[in-house]
Amino acid sequence: MPARKVLFIQTAFIGDAILASALWETWHAAHPEDAIHICVRQGNEAMFHGHPFLAGVHVWNKKGGLLPRYRSLNALARALRRERFDAVFTPHRHASSGWLAWRSDAPIRVGFDVHPLRRVFTHRVPHGFEEGVHEIERNHRLVEGWTDVEAPRMPRLYPEPLAPVGRAFAVLAPASQWATKQWPVERWIELCDALAEEVPELRLVGGPADAALLEEVEAKTEHPNAVVQADQGLLESAALMAQAAWVLTNDSGPLHLASAVNAPTVAVYCSTVPAFGFGPLSDRSRVVESAESLPCRPCGVHGKTSCPLGHFACGESITVEQVLSALDAL
């Protein structure tokens, strides 16, 4: 079969783009001769710098108001059409991805049957939030008939290895874009205190927007070596996780960074649940969630800016002892 030019579109958040990487890992394993391109939102493209087999990375600038955003989308659609793709696949379920797939003019366009523009796809695949089915398994349905592979490959990033560090360290990612996904900051501080004699160094990672939270943990913990790292890129954070003794994170983007480098991981779930299909994928991983039976949990598939009932019991009831026990179990 002659080599094809294939595009994968996932312009959602960091974690979604990382999990979608399982699609191109699977495709490349099945069709190593094909030229694989991806399309992601601006900011996420840095995760794929230096990627060993991607032939192209296309970017949608989603910043600014409605008009600049869709001017950018229209320019991107024209650029993708000029690439003359043989096939386009998108796990993204928003209208923009369907429109890009349609405007690409690729003869094969594959998306989910719940997509608002599903009629533009030449092939529609069932989607569903079945309990226990991971997102990479759902996404794999898109390429299953094109790769003859029953199980998806794992998501993967390819960071440059860091220089060896002289002493053991752990990575903590206390922040989340959504308040109801974030274990309370007081618990993070207590945990750091409890690790003062067990772990020589703690690296507190996050983006620039998380700096204030990370600095609060650093300032208030009694751990002698809690270091804030909020000025590094996503790929650099992944490289750090790959070298860490373990990673502790909320159900957020850093969780999927850890999975993409197979770092030992403990994930704390507050308002969301692993059954949605966004759990850790590392060979060694544990999940921590409230031991209480809370009728309000989960309160949605995604996080929220605040607890709808005001008590945030799903986060407040998770103890430091639970997390320490999960870390011991690694």
Side-chain angles (χ1 to χ4, degrees), residues 158-303:
Y158 296 84
E160 287 288 333
L162 296 177
V165 177
R167 59 182 177 182
F169 69 90
V171 169
L172 282 69
S176 174
Q177 181 177 354
W178 304 104
T180 61
K181 283 188 172 186
Q182 184 175 293
W183 196 36
V185 64
E186 296 80 9
R187 299 288 195 280
W188 286 97
I189 295 168
E190 291 175 36
L191 180 78
C192 291
D193 292 347
L195 294 170
E197 296 183 1
E198 295 185 27
V199 183
E201 188 172 340
L202 302 178
R203 307 287 186 94
L204 307 173
V205 303
D210 307 322
L213 174 66
L214 303 180
E215 289 165 1
E216 180 182 358
V217 176
E218 179 190 42
K220 294 182 177 179
T221 181
E222 296 176 0
H223 196 291
N225 293 299
V227 182
V228 171
Q229 294 191 225
D231 57 352
Q232 61 187 12
L234 294 168
L235 209 53
E236 290 77 13
S237 292
L240 192 68
M241 292 176 178
Q243 199 178 77
W246 46 260
V247 176
L248 176 65
T249 175
N250 301 298
D251 172 23
S252 194
L255 165 60
H256 307 302
L257 279 177
S259 291
V261 294
N262 200 26
T265 305
V266 169
V268 179
Y269 284 75
C270 298
S271 67
T272 52
V273 294
F276 286 153
F278 298 92
L281 291 168
S282 298
D283 292 339
R284 294 164 54 206
S285 63
R286 293 290 186 277
V287 166
V288 178
E289 49 194 331
S290 177
E292 299 180 14
S293 178
L294 301 170
C296 57
R297 178 178 183 265
C299 57
V301 176
H302 303 290

Side-chain angles (χ1 to χ4, degrees), residues 91-106:
H92 192 233
R93 301 187 304 280
H94 290 193
S96 57
S97 60
W99 192 74
L100 288 173
W102 174 59
R103 288 289 307 277
S104 75
D105 204 29

Side-chain angles (χ1 to χ4, degrees), residues 84-146:
R84 298 184 180 275
F85 291 107
D86 296 297
V88 174
F89 298 81
T90 178
H92 192 233
R93 301 187 304 280
H94 290 193
S96 57
S97 60
W99 192 74
L100 288 173
W102 174 59
R103 288 289 307 277
S104 75
D105 204 29
I108 297 171
R109 303 183 297 275
V110 186
F112 285 118
D113 61 358
V114 296
H115 197 287
L117 296 184
R118 54 190 171 274
R119 290 185 179 181
V120 309
F121 296 126
T122 60
H123 299 75
R124 292 173 287 276
V125 178
H127 181 276
F129 282 108
E130 304 96 330
E131 185 170 346
V133 176
H134 200 280
E135 177 76 350
I136 68 166
E137 296 174 294
R138 279 193 289 266
N139 288 347
H140 183 69
R141 296 167 186 168
L142 296 168
V143 300
E144 195 169 22
W146 309 89

